[in-house]
């Protein structure tokens, strides 16, 4: 009963029309009430697995100005031995609670006093308040950390070619505490000074610049080992998940661009295959462009990058030492155009993180989208500006919208802001909502406020929170301030509300009527505020484009639309919304998409194919019609990315959506089309490869399987 009254008082309700403003206020009020209650009781959070938000908030009020002086020896195959001195300024009362999940901890010293009774509990190390003082404190710990091929904070990779071994860290989102005792939460940023002891023939790279190198013989267990002690400069303030180093017999290439030395690290057996000049130039180009756009130069002291073997992500944005997935950056065979575009997009994404994520970091991982979505969006903006011929917004649509729509239209979706009680759960927040929906929402935001206000707001945001932390509300406050408008309600709809709108345009004697509805019931009722561009186009070259604001479930636009014209309410892909075509627009698309040259705008062509696919997913467009149209268009489609989209959907429709009789009827024509394009020597390599890959995935008929078998025999 008491809880129900609190919820009602906070403006929350169980069902009914979605109203994000009282819901958001309710969440904030509950959080404030709980924080006030905890503060009034003077309660120190109990030790529990992971890093709870309760512990993080409690520490954030008592700890500041953190510094880590970290020394690690990585001379043993499975164990790193280390010592860390943690310096911080303490205010308030209570113990100092650090996070540590490593296998061994010893030698605890607090402000010069040995604490032999202090032990870790497998999650945290609690230093008693009696050993601390107001103001600056220094805690020292000896520890061990695991080194392993996977599942450890230090990853070991053995090169099957030459037997060389390489090490690199992987601490995101909350594994720094598996390496060393620390305050492992993103809003307790720290300056980090690292010393590494490695075999003498190894190189290493870390966040800070290498400032010292000493060779010596290390006496360990009665034997001597030739080692090299590498000292790295102290960093600017960074979050613990961004601390990084890589060590091993790396080969390096250094180039100086715009007065900045950039070093590429790659394993020795693959350096000859690395397109070093292109990769260094792409990183340097991104640093230059983003520095200009953000109105702030690269915010850290040096910039290097590593091509990390068996790296589980596309890249990781550690300041000063970016890691890229080697397999995606060093091609073993001739790369296709989508592979090259993807590699450049990854570079631009990770470089954008240097400002969004590294300079300004989300306060907590519930705002993971704030760094990931922004990096993806800025990567597309940069690619569009630096290489207009790349058709970056078409790529943005194809890489982001289908993935986001597929999740957001389902009952398994979540809001962009995803509540997180413990950093142990942070890995579950990664996915299409953060990586694909969030940048799409940012594109809508820029279209709403305008390019200049968006840029000025972002610059203000970065200036206000440099080397610190922020939330999505801080971002919208800065952008809204630059635009002269309050974006609170807008943020409630796009950041706190799950799901997305579905737009449908119809025409009558009075013009065009655009209706919107939620894609699924989880979103609740009510319209999203949508700013879009309406396109009306007949069979000729003439067309009409008009910006429209959709504030309610139905919007009328007084424009003439021929009964046979295409009416498309999201031209330019500014809105984040599923767009379903009416029957006349479907007929227009079927007349013109079969000849791709009829729709010369590649973004519009991609969007129309996407709209037809979404209509098929809604069971309002027969898969057999989609297959037939794709079969006519594919032999004429020269755009590798659009062809790839079509091939993936056509093979899925043929192999998963059709019953046995329909599949047996439709597959031979699709198989023949795929084989014909794959065998055409006049086609670009990327198109031929994509069609052959699709044929391998789709082939089910005896004739197609026999033809594939013959291909294998011919290649043997």
């Amino acid at each position: 009963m008491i809880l129900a009254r609190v919820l009602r008082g906070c403006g929350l309700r169980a069902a009914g029309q979605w109203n994000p403003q009282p819901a958001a206020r309710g969440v904030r009020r509950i959080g404030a009430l709980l924080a006030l209650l905890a503060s009034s009781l003077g309660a120190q959070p109990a030790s529990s697995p992971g890093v709870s938000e309760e512990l993080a908030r409690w520490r954030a009020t008592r700890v500041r100005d953190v510094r880590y002086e970290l020394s690690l020896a990585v001379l043993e195959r499975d164990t790193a031995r280390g010592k860390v001195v943690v310096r911080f300024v303490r205010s308030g009362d209570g113990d100092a609670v650090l996070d540590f999940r490593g296998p061994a901890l010893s030698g605890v010293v607090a402000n010069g006093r040995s604490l032999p009774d202090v032990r870790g509990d497998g999650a945290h190390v609690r230093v008693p308040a009696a050993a601390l003082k107001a103001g600056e404190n220094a805690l020292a710990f000896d520890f061990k950390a695991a080194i392993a091929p996977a599942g450890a904070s230090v990853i070991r990779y053995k090169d099957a070619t030459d037997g060389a071994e390489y090490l690199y860290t992987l601490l995101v989102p909350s594994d720094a505490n598996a390496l060393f005792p620390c305050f492992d939460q993103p809003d307790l940023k720290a300056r980090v000074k690292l010393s590494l002891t490695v075999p003498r023939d190894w190189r290493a790279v870390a966040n800070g610049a290498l400032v010292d190198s000493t060779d010596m013989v290390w006496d360990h267990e009665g034997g001597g080992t030739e080692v090299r002690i590498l000292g790295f400069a102290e960093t600017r303030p960074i979050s613990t998940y961004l601390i990084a180093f890589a060590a091993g017999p790396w080969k390096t290439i250094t180039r100086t661009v715009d007065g900045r030395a950039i070093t590429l690290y790659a394993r020795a057996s693959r350096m000859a295959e690395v397109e070093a000049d292109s990769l260094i130039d792409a990183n340097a180009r991104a640093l230059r462009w983003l520095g200009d756009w953000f109105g702030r130069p690269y915010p850290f002291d040096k910039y290097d990058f590593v091509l990390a073997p068996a790296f589980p992500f596309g890249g990781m944005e550690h300041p000063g030492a970016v890691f890229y997935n080697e397999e995606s950056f060093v091609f073993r065979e001739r790369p296709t155009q989508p592979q090259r575009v993807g590699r450049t997009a990854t570079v631009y994404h990770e470089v954008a993180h240097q400002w969004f994520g590294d300079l300004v970091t989300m306060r907590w991982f519930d705002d993971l989208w704030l760094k990931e979505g922004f990096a993806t969006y800025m990567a597309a903006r940069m690619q569009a500006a630096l290489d207009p011929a790349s058709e970056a917004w078409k790529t943005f649509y194809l890489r982001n919208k289908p993935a986001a729509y597929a999740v957001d239209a389902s009952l398994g979706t979540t809001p962009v802001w995803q509540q997180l009680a413990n950093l142990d759960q942070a890995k579950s927040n990664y996915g299409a909502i953060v990586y694909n929906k969030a940048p799409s929402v940012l594109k809508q935001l820029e279209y709403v406020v305008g390019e200049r206000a968006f840029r000025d707001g972002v610059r203000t945001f970065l200036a206000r929170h440099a080397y610190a932390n922020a939330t999505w509300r801080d971002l919208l406050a800065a952008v809204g301030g630059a635009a002269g408008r309050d974006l609170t309600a807008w943020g409630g709809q796009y950041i706190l509300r799950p799901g997305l709108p579905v737009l449908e345009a119809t025409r009558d004697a009075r013009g065009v009527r655009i209706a919107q509805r939620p894609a699924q019931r989880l979103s609740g009722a009510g319209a999203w505020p949508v700013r879009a561009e309406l396109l009306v186009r007949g069979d000729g070259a003439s067309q009409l484009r008009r910006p429209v604001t959709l504030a309610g479930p139905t919007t009328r636009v007084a424009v003439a639309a021929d009964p046979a014209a295409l009416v498309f309410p999201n031209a330019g892909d500014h809105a984040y919304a599923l767009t379903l075509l009416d029957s006349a627009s479907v007929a227009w698309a079927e007349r013109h998409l079969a000849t791709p040259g009829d729709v010369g705008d590649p973004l519009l062509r991609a969007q129309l194919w996407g709209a037809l696919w979404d209509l098929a997913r809604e069971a309002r467009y027969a898969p057999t019609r989609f297959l037939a149209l794709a079969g006519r268009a594919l032999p004429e489609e020269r755009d590798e990315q659009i062809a790839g989209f079509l091939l993936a959907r056509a093979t899925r429709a043929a192999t998963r959506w059709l019953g046995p009789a329909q599949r047996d009827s439709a597959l031979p024509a699709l198989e023949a089309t795929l084989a014909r394009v794959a065998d055409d020597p006049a086609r670009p390599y990327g198109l031929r490869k994509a069609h052959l890959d699709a044929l391998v995935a789709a082939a089910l008929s005896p004739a197609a399987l026999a033809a594939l078998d013959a291909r294998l025999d011919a290649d043997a």
Side-chain angles (χ1 to χ4, degrees):
M1 180 66 74
I2 293 175
L3 179 59
R5 289 176 182 169
V6 170
L7 291 175
R8 285 197 299 273
C10 291
L12 299 179
R13 49 187 168 182
Q17 182 173 355
W18 179 268
N19 190 337
Q21 289 183 313
R25 287 196 298 268
V27 171
R28 293 197 298 274
R29 289 175 184 172
I30 289 174
L33 285 172
L34 293 176
L36 180 62
L37 178 62
S39 175
S40 66
L41 295 176
Q44 179 165 308
S47 184
S48 60
V51 180
S52 69
E53 186 176 21
E54 180 190 14
L55 172 61
R57 298 287 69 76
W58 184 84
R59 286 196 300 214
T61 64
R62 289 162 170 80
V63 174
R64 61 181 174 83
D65 297 341
V66 183
R67 277 181 156 86
Y68 298 114
E69 191 171 331
L70 178 61
S71 300
L72 279 171
V74 289
L75 302 170
E76 301 167 71
R77 199 164 188 273
D78 300 319
T79 302
R81 296 175 183 267
K83 181 180 183 68
V84 64
V85 178
V86 184
R87 303 183 191 277
F88 63 97
V89 173
R90 172 178 178 257
S91 58
D93 54 7
D95 302 340
V97 182
L98 291 88
D99 312 310
F100 184 60
R101 292 184 284 119
L105 181 76
S106 62
V108 180
V109 176
N111 297 316
R113 174 186 165 194
S114 178
L115 300 176
D117 294 332
V118 172
R119 295 283 187 271
D121 62 8
H124 306 288
V125 182
R126 190 179 293 267
V127 178
L132 305 172
K133 57 186 179 181
E136 186 169 337
N137 288 260
L139 309 180
F141 305 90
D142 295 326
F143 62 88
K144 294 180 182 177
I147 300 175
S153 56
V154 181
I155 303 300
R156 182 185 70 249
Y157 176 85
K158 184 171 182 177
D159 192 326
T161 303
D162 58 12
E165 292 199 335
Y166 298 85
L167 305 178
Y168 56 81
T169 52
L170 185 58
L171 307 184
V172 66
S174 58
D175 285 343
N177 69 85
L179 178 61
F180 69 100
C182 59
F183 299 113
D184 199 4
Q185 60 190 71
D187 60 342
L188 284 181
K189 289 190 166 183
R191 297 179 182 271
V192 182
K193 187 176 182 180
L194 175 66
S195 173
L196 279 179
T197 301
V198 300
R200 184 171 291 183
D201 59 344
W202 280 20
R203 289 188 173 95
V205 59
N207 303 107
L210 180 65
V211 294
D212 185 60
S213 177
T214 304
D215 292 342
M216 62 177 293
V217 176
W218 184 54
D219 185 14
H220 177 59
E221 296 181 353
T225 303
E226 293 186 345
V227 302
R228 177 164 292 160
I229 302 175
L230 302 172
F232 297 89
E234 186 177 66
T235 69
R236 294 175 184 264
I238 59 175
S239 298
T240 45
Y241 76 87
L242 293 170
I243 297 170
F245 70 83
W250 303 100
K251 295 297 184 183
T252 63
I253 294 177
T254 300
R255 298 280 187 270
T256 298
V257 185
D258 297 334
R260 176 183 293 110
I262 298 176
T263 299
L264 177 159
Y265 290 74
R267 55 184 168 124
S269 66
R270 300 211 67 185
M271 180 58 93
E273 305 167 68
V274 175
E275 298 175 68
D277 288 340
S278 295
L279 294 180
I280 291 173
D281 181 64
N283 281 267
R285 188 166 59 244
L287 289 167
R288 182 190 314 121
W289 189 89
L290 287 165
D292 290 341
W293 198 90
F294 287 134
R296 188 182 194 101
Y298 173 62
F300 297 96
D301 297 326
K302 62 99 174 177
Y303 186 92
D304 299 321
F305 63 95
V306 180
L307 305 184
F311 196 65
F313 310 122
M316 183 58 208
E317 66 267 20
H318 320 109
V322 174
F323 292 177
Y324 293 121
N325 181 300
E326 179 199 82
E327 195 63 25
S328 299
F329 273 60
V330 185
F331 302 122
R332 294 185 181 274
E333 59 184 21
R334 190 193 321 176
T336 64
Q337 191 250 357
Q339 284 177 306
R340 287 196 172 276
V341 168
R343 185 173 73 176
T344 301
T346 299
V347 169
Y348 290 175
H349 177 102
E350 301 306 334
V351 176
H353 268 313
Q354 306 303 307
W355 286 262
F356 255 88
D358 296 359
L359 175 66
V360 179
T361 310
M362 71 266 162
R363 181 187 64 82
W364 188 243
F365 269 87
D366 50 14
D367 260 331
L368 177 64
W369 80 275
L370 194 59
K371 74 183 187 75
E372 296 301 341
F374 223 100
T376 295
Y377 183 61
M378 290 307 302
R381 274 193 120 277
M382 191 183 339
Q383 197 154 15
L386 291 173
D387 183 10
S390 69
E391 298 166 353
W393 293 119
K394 174 203 67 183
T395 302
F396 181 88
Y397 169 80
L398 291 171
R399 289 169 67 97
N400 290 288
K401 293 299 182 69
Y405 293 161
V407 173
D408 220 14
S410 75
L411 291 176
T413 193
T414 67
V416 170
W417 181 87
Q418 300 181 40
Q419 190 168 8
L420 191 70
N422 194 298
L423 286 187
D424 272 2
Q425 305 159 9
K427 292 178 183 177
S428 66
N429 278 14
Y430 289 78
I433 296 302
V434 161
Y435 280 94
N436 304 108
K437 176 178 179 176
S440 304
V441 166
L442 287 168
K443 186 176 184 185
Q444 167 70 170
L445 176 61
E446 180 167 3
Y447 193 60
V448 166
V449 302
E451 181 178 345
R452 185 186 182 106
F454 183 75
R455 185 200 63 193
D456 291 348
V458 169
R459 288 180 173 184
T460 297
F461 174 80
L462 292 174
R464 285 177 181 169
H465 306 287
Y467 304 106
N469 301 81
T471 71
W472 67 271
R473 298 181 190 281
D474 297 317
L475 174 66
L476 290 193
V479 174
R485 59 184 295 175
D486 186 352
L487 293 171
T488 303
W490 187 95
Q493 293 286 353
Y494 281 98
I495 308 302
L496 296 180
R497 184 181 183 182
L500 78 161
V502 177
L503 304 183
E504 296 187 71
T506 55
R507 83 287 307 276
D508 57 26
R510 291 185 293 165
V512 172
R513 175 181 178 272
I514 304 173
Q516 69 155 294
R517 59 175 170 83
Q520 34 81 351
R521 65 179 182 272
L522 181 67
S523 299
W528 278 262
V530 177
R531 177 78 169 162
E533 185 176 68
L534 172 66
L535 168 68
V536 179
R537 178 173 168 181
D539 286 329
S542 64
Q543 62 179 8
L544 177 148
R545 286 178 177 258
R546 177 174 296 181
V548 293
T549 298
L550 314 178
T554 302
T555 302
R556 281 202 169 272
V557 186
V559 298
D562 185 273
L566 168 70
V567 175
F568 190 65
N570 192 19
D573 190 38
H574 300 292
Y576 177 72
L578 278 169
T579 306
L580 302 182
L581 302 177
D582 67 348
S583 58
S585 296
V586 168
W588 189 99
E590 289 181 325
R591 289 196 302 276
H592 294 279
L593 286 177
T595 306
D598 286 358
V599 187
D601 178 354
L603 172 57
L604 178 61
R605 195 160 76 249
Q607 286 186 276
L608 291 177
W609 279 115
L612 289 176
W613 179 253
D614 290 330
L615 206 61
R617 285 169 56 94
E618 294 256 330
R620 292 167 56 181
Y621 187 65
T624 50
R625 285 179 70 181
F626 186 92
L627 274 172
L629 182 59
R632 296 198 302 274
L634 278 168
E636 307 301 324
E637 182 59 72
R638 293 301 195 267
D639 187 300
E640 288 188 39
Q641 291 177 296
I642 295 177
F645 176 92
L646 271 182
L647 289 166
R649 272 65 183 175
T651 54
R652 186 185 306 175
T655 58
R656 300 185 190 178
W657 285 14
L658 302 183
Q662 286 182 315
R663 185 173 62 242
D664 291 345
S665 174
L667 260 181
L670 177 63
E671 292 167 342
T673 296
L674 299 178
R676 185 166 70 254
V677 177
D679 288 337
D680 184 354
R683 309 267 175 169
Y685 166 78
L687 278 175
R688 296 181 64 192
K689 182 179 186 299
H691 282 73
L692 180 59
D693 289 343
L695 179 60
V696 171
L700 293 175
S701 69
L705 292 172
L708 285 176
D709 187 59
R711 288 173 186 268
L712 291 174
D713 290 341
D715 291 339

